[in-house]
Amino acid sequence: MKIIWSPLAIERLEEIAEYIQEDDPIAAKKMGDLRIRQHLKT
Protein backbone atom coordinates (compact mmCIF):
# COMPACT_ATOMS: atom_id res chain seq x y z
CA MET A 1 0.00 0.00 0.00
CA LYS A 2 1.32 3.44 -0.90
CA ILE A 3 0.10 6.55 0.86
CA ILE A 4 -0.17 9.63 -1.29
CA TRP A 5 0.07 12.81 0.78
CA SER A 6 -1.61 15.95 -0.49
CA PRO A 7 0.32 19.21 -0.27
CA LEU A 8 -2.17 20.40 2.38
CA ALA A 9 -1.64 17.27 4.50
CA ILE A 10 2.14 17.76 4.38
CA GLU A 11 1.76 21.41 5.37
CA ARG A 12 -0.52 20.51 8.28
CA LEU A 13 1.87 17.84 9.52
CA GLU A 14 4.71 20.35 9.56
CA GLU A 15 2.51 22.88 11.40
CA ILE A 16 1.66 20.28 14.02
CA ALA A 17 5.33 19.42 14.54
CA GLU A 18 6.18 23.12 14.93
CA TYR A 19 3.40 23.57 17.49
CA ILE A 20 4.54 20.56 19.52
CA GLN A 21 8.14 21.78 19.35
CA GLU A 22 7.20 24.92 21.28
CA ASP A 23 6.51 22.82 24.40
CA ASP A 24 8.53 19.67 23.83
CA PRO A 25 11.24 19.63 21.16
CA ILE A 26 12.03 15.95 21.79
CA ALA A 27 8.42 14.91 21.28
CA ALA A 28 8.25 17.00 18.11
CA LYS A 29 11.33 15.29 16.79
CA LYS A 30 9.79 11.88 17.48
CA MET A 31 6.52 12.94 15.87
CA GLY A 32 8.33 14.25 12.82
CA ASP A 33 10.25 10.99 12.57
CA LEU A 34 12.84 10.93 9.80
CA ARG A 35 11.09 8.02 8.06
CA ILE A 36 7.90 10.05 7.71
CA ARG A 37 9.74 13.11 6.43
CA GLN A 38 11.67 11.02 3.92
CA HIS A 39 8.41 9.46 2.75
CA LEU A 40 6.82 12.88 2.35
CA LYS A 41 9.66 14.09 0.15
CA THR A 42 9.17 11.27 -2.36
Side-chain angles (χ1 to χ4, degrees), residues 1-40:
M1 172 190 261
K2 183 175 181 177
I3 298 173
I4 300 172
W5 294 80
S6 72
L8 179 59
I10 294 168
E11 182 179 331
R12 294 282 167 83
L13 183 61
E14 290 178 355
E15 289 172 356
I16 291 166
E18 289 172 7
Y19 178 79
I20 293 171
Q21 185 173 358
E22 291 176 13
D23 283 336
D24 191 343
I26 295 171
K29 187 173 182 177
K30 289 179 182 177
M31 201 259 356
D33 180 274
L34 180 59
R35 289 173 293 163
I36 292 173
R37 292 186 182 273
Q38 286 176 343
H39 180 70
L40 294 176

